[in-house]
Amino acid sequence: MADRDELLGRLFTAGRELSNAAVMFHTALAAHQGLTATEEKALDLLDRLGPLTARQLGEHSGLAPASVTGLIDRLERKGFARRVRNPEDKRSVLVEAVPDRLAALAPLFDDYVASLTELVARYDDRELAAIVDFLGEAAARQRQSTHRLLDGQSGAATPPRTP
């Protein structure tokens, strides 16, 4: 059991290190383009999921509605996103990434993607399937924890209010 406990400890430490590295990478990448990390991650959502309503962007990002409006305004001002009519509901708008601006971000990932391509060559298909399963499930659980935190249901102590 000690071997498993040690392995789990190493796994959780590696997860924390990966999380920190990801935050720092995306912060640096975003700053390179005059964006915040939140703006860059919102663009990632728009790139992966396609055009979204402000509500959908909020649901996927975990941001409050007022924060989403400000986020969209900033992305529009910086030329990375635009509001377009929703073809399925003429009363609403969708937010979409501006393809040319999004394409300008891609080369910033080249070095990292090349490094990951080299890394994955160390694993066979079965191992990669386990890694994909773990990362997907870990991401889903982190999103669930985020929603619980935002809803005040995390079980964490509520900070005292200042008078």
Side-chain angles (χ1 to χ4, degrees), residues 3-107:
D3 288 341
R4 182 169 176 84
D5 289 344
E6 179 188 341
L7 186 58
L8 289 173
R10 289 175 46 211
L11 174 66
F12 292 134
T13 297
R16 290 176 72 181
E17 289 173 357
L18 177 60
S19 175
N20 288 335
V23 168
M24 299 310 291
F25 175 80
H26 286 284
T27 299
L29 185 136
H32 196 274
Q33 294 295 312
L35 299 168
T36 66
T38 301
E39 292 164 349
E40 190 267 333
K41 294 313 293 177
L43 287 172
D44 177 62
L45 288 171
L46 294 172
D47 183 40
R48 286 187 295 117
L49 304 174
L52 299 170
T53 65
R55 171 180 273 171
Q56 291 168 326
L57 187 55
E59 289 168 356
H60 288 288
S61 67
L63 295 173
S67 297
V68 172
T69 300
L71 170 68
I72 295 167
D73 290 344
R74 290 190 310 276
L75 287 172
E76 264 194 321
R77 264 195 319 275
K78 295 175 182 183
F80 282 93
R82 60 183 165 230
R83 290 174 170 98
V84 296
R85 274 203 188 280
N86 185 343
E88 296 176 16
D89 180 357
K90 301 296 182 197
R91 297 167 295 159
S92 72
V93 297
L94 297 172
V95 180
E96 67 179 13
V98 174
D100 293 348
R101 294 303 303 268
L102 203 57
L105 294 174

